[in-house]
């Protein structure tokens, strides 16, 4: 990608200011013409011709780099469950590390142990905006709990196998509303509760091309949840469990990030040589640092700047897709040299007074 910067500037001359000072000191107007009709710096003594705006294109980029992995784990309000083998294939991981072992029958005073369960569902609130597929697909649920290091993506991915599949649902994405319920094995659920264990579920789409955007908020009513009857007696009110995870020697924000997250089997390819990438999945962001030549800053006032980028053809977007490009302005000082830290602390261009529509 070729980057250049176009500056629109107003020439700024320091000569008339100095000249007018000398004239006043000598009590003479010898340095000026006889026309006394104004210059901007010294209107009575130093007339000047108005200068027009000038556009200048320079190769001012001194550093450019693309960084992958956005949004950061746990910071996205949505998770993508997709099966588009030519572009992106992702799965969702939802952890329920604290399972109830007792329940209050219809919220009464009596507390009973959970010895049997019925009607077990994984409930996903969905983002109902955007286009959805019109062909039926199969959403599968897997038991991805393991004693191995399941913070490693390759370990979790290996658990999506037939003997671990505990539930499924065939549906048409365009025909569902703002949530979906996927039934899964009550036998597995009952065994997890009896063992005072944990429930860690993996969800993926099989049997057709499609995608869902599910709400990922862990705190509040918008989070995914497991809903089940705590007894075979159908008169009892269902129980609902919210995601949570317990990670040894970890912080609260890391545990929150791993309660609901995504893994990718097929994702955006890394940028090639001399290429910057913006967007994709997981998304890339590009960082550019400029050094404006002193020949411009010393003699002009810059009133507008544009970044000119040469786009390469992409095979991953649909012809009818629209793309938005937004500027982020670093808010750190030069003491911060970590590019990811700089981007994480960047502010929206509108906040910093930058019109991103010029990009």
């Amino acid at each position: 990608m070729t980057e250049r910067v176009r500056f629109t500037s107003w020439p700024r001359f320091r000569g008339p200011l100095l000249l007018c000072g000398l004239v006043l000191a000598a009590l003479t107007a010898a340095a000026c013409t006889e026309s006394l009709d104004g210059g901007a710096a010294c209107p009575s003594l130093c007339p000047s011709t108005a200068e027009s705006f000038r556009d200048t294109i320079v190769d001012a980029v001194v550093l450019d780099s693309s960084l992958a992995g956005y949004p950061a784990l746990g910071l996205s309000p949505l998770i993508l469950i997709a099966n588009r083998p030519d572009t992106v294939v992702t799965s969702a991981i939802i952890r329920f590390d604290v399972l109830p072992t007792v329940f209050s029958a219809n919220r009464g005073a009596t507390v009973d142990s959970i010895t049997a369960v019925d009607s077990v569902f994984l409930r996903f609130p969905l983002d109902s905006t955007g286009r959805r597929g019109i062909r039926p697909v199969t959403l599968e649920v897997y038991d991805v709990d393991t004693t191995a290091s399941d913070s490693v993506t390759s370990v979790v991915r290996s658990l999506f196998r037939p003997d671990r599949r505990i539930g499924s649902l065939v549906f048409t994405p365009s025909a569902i509303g703002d949530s979906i319920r996927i039934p899964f094995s009550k036998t597995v659920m009952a065994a997890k509760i009896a063992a005072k264990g944990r429930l860690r579920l993996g969800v993926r789409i099989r049997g057709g091309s499609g995608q869902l955007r599910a709400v990922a908020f862990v705190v509040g009513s918008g989070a995914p949840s497991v809903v089940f009857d705590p007894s075979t007696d159908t008169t009892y009110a269902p129980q609902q469990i919210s995601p949570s995870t317990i990670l040894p020697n970890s912080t609260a924000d890391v545990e929150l990030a791993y309660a609901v997250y995504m893994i990718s089997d097929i994702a955006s390819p890394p940028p090639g040589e001399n290429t910057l990438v913006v967007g994709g999945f997981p998304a890339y962001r590009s960082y550019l640092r400029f050094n404006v030549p002193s020949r411009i800053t010393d003699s002009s006032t810059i009133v507008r700047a544009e970044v000119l980028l040469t786009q390469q053809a992409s095979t991953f977007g649909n012809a009818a897709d629209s793309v938005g490009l937004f500027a982020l302005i670093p808010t750190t000082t030069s003491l911060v040299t970590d590019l990811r830290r700089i981007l994480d602390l960047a502010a929206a261009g509108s906040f910093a007074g930058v019109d991103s529509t010029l990009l």
Side-chain angles (χ1 to χ4, degrees):
M1 178 176 289
T2 302
E3 319 100 338
R4 288 189 173 90
V5 180
R6 174 190 290 162
F7 296 102
T8 301
S9 59
W10 176 267
R12 183 176 69 239
F13 299 101
R14 296 178 180 174
L17 288 171
L18 177 60
L19 183 58
C20 288
L22 295 174
V23 169
L24 291 175
L27 298 179
T28 177
C32 300
T33 66
E34 294 183 359
S35 172
L36 301 181
D37 296 331
C42 187
S44 297
L45 300 178
C46 303
S48 62
T49 303
E51 294 287 345
S52 60
F53 289 103
R54 298 178 182 176
D55 280 351
T56 304
I57 298 178
V58 297
D59 293 325
V61 179
V62 296
L63 175 64
D64 56 11
S65 182
S66 292
L67 286 79
Y70 288 92
L73 190 67
L75 296 184
S76 175
L78 301 172
I79 53 175
L80 178 67
I81 307 171
N83 185 41
R84 298 174 61 185
D86 62 335
T87 307
V88 58
V89 176
T90 64
S91 304
I93 309 298
I94 310 99
R95 294 177 170 182
F96 303 89
D97 285 2
V98 179
L99 300 179
T101 57
V102 297
F103 72 104
S104 298
N106 295 323
R107 299 186 177 90
T110 303
V111 176
D112 295 325
S113 297
I114 299 177
T115 57
V117 299
D118 200 5
S119 302
V120 185
F121 295 91
L122 173 63
R123 180 184 178 274
F124 265 120
L126 301 177
D127 174 19
S128 58
T129 63
R131 294 179 297 175
R132 297 184 184 179
I134 59 175
R135 296 179 179 177
V137 296
T138 301
L139 203 58
E140 297 179 336
V141 180
Y142 293 79
D143 179 1
V144 295
D145 188 19
T146 179
T147 56
S149 178
D150 60 357
S151 296
V152 179
T153 299
S154 59
V155 172
V156 179
R157 187 182 293 121
S158 69
L159 300 174
F160 284 82
R161 58 179 191 257
D163 62 305
R164 288 275 189 149
R165 186 171 58 242
I166 60 175
S168 65
L169 176 69
V170 178
F171 69 101
T172 302
S174 60
I176 59 177
D178 58 1
S179 67
I180 190 171
R181 297 203 314 169
I182 315 163
F184 67 93
S185 173
K186 62 182 180 181
T187 302
V188 170
M189 186 68 183
K192 300 281 188 182
I193 293 175
K196 297 182 179 180
R198 63 192 186 187
L199 178 68
R200 294 185 172 181
L201 303 177
V203 184
R204 71 176 181 183
I205 291 177
R206 292 290 301 273
S209 179
Q211 65 184 43
L212 290 174
R213 293 182 302 275
V215 177
F217 287 120
V218 174
V219 180
S221 59
S225 60
V226 165
V227 181
F228 68 98
D229 292 338
S231 171
T232 55
D233 186 342
T234 58
T235 63
Y236 289 159
Q239 301 290 298
Q240 179 170 308
I241 312 171
S242 296
S244 65
T245 192
I246 300 173
L247 299 174
N249 304 317
S250 186
T251 59
D253 57 330
V254 173
E255 291 184 342
L256 191 66
Y258 275 97
V260 181
Y261 68 100
M262 293 172 290
I263 61 173
S264 300
D265 294 326
I266 299 177
S268 300
E273 186 177 359
N274 300 321
T275 302
L276 297 177
V277 175
V278 178
F281 188 88
Y284 281 84
R285 292 182 182 179
S286 290
Y287 176 81
L288 295 92
R289 182 178 296 163
F290 305 96
N291 184 15
V292 182
S294 58
R295 61 183 173 85
I296 294 178
T297 57
D298 287 350
S299 61
S300 305
T301 298
I302 298 174
V303 295
R304 185 178 63 198
E306 299 177 6
V307 180
L308 307 180
L309 303 175
T310 301
Q311 183 180 359
Q312 296 183 357
S314 173
T315 60
F316 296 96
N318 296 324
D321 286 348
S322 60
V323 177
L325 193 63
F326 301 93
L328 296 176
I329 308 301
T331 59
T332 58
T333 68
S334 58
L335 297 177
V336 180
T337 58
D338 180 19
L339 294 187
R340 178 164 296 271
R341 185 66 172 165
I342 292 173
L343 285 175
D344 287 344
L345 296 176
S350 56
F351 175 79
V354 174
D355 184 1
S356 62
T357 61
L358 295 177
L359 297 179

